[in-house]
Amino acid sequence: MKISDKFLKNNNFTHHQCIMLAVFCADKTIDIFEQAFPDFSEPRIALESARKCAESMSSDNKQSAERAFKRGFSFMDSLPPTVEDKVRISAGPSIYAASTARRFSVETSYGGVMAAYLDAGYAIQLNTDSVAAKLEFREEFLKYALFLKRKGM
């Protein structure tokens, strides 16, 4: 099944579930980035801020996610063009997870989930040189999404 924002909308995913899905995507690729850039923490900070929002949507956590998203996005823009796409794109899901967490409505969070999902799939494919690995990620994502729906998380 092809995943799209219609899948998220048609299944009425909550904002919390969208954050969890974006975090899922980021967890699949953060190590790729950290192996290449162990001294740069912006994507990890973005991921952890999204994880905190999944635990509690407090005002402090949302503001932290907003700051982490802005820092992460700025960091991505500052990477030199010589950085390989497979490394650059591996940070994207973490930054999109923070973007999803900072959103104020479920409708606006669908885009963050889709960006995290697409970047994660592409990063996995580039880093493994395998379309099969990308398809496996897609299947894991779908299973996790359906698990969240069944459990009402």
Side-chain angles (χ1 to χ4, degrees), residues 24-149:
F24 174 86
C25 294
D27 280 336
K28 298 291 184 182
T29 60
I30 189 70
D31 290 342
I32 298 166
F33 181 83
E34 289 178 337
Q35 287 174 5
F37 290 101
D39 296 333
F40 293 100
S41 60
E42 284 83 354
R44 174 63 67 180
I45 291 168
L47 171 56
E48 295 307 323
S49 72
R51 201 180 309 279
K52 285 181 183 176
C53 282
E55 293 170 8
S56 166
M57 288 300 291
S58 71
S59 177
D60 286 346
N61 286 348
K62 286 185 90 158
Q63 288 174 1
S64 175
E66 176 73 27
R67 287 189 301 272
F69 166 72
K70 287 179 179 177
R71 281 194 312 266
F73 194 80
S74 176
F75 170 74
M76 289 292 289
D77 279 350
S78 71
L79 287 174
T82 55
V83 174
E84 291 182 82
D85 280 347
K86 66 183 185 179
V87 173
R88 178 188 307 274
I89 204 162
S90 66
S94 295
I95 294 163
Y96 291 125
S99 174
T100 301
R102 74 188 176 98
R103 304 292 179 166
F104 296 103
S105 71
V106 68
E107 293 81 15
T108 59
S109 65
Y110 294 145
V113 175
M114 288 312 304
Y117 167 78
L118 293 171
D119 274 9
Y122 188 51
I124 289 166
Q125 180 179 347
L126 288 175
N127 281 280
T128 61
D129 199 26
S130 167
V131 173
K134 178 181 177 178
L135 295 175
E136 183 179 318
F137 161 74
R138 286 181 172 182
E139 186 175 325
E140 289 175 16
F141 178 90
L142 181 59
K143 285 179 181 177
Y144 184 63
L146 295 175
F147 167 79
L148 290 176
K149 282 308 289 182

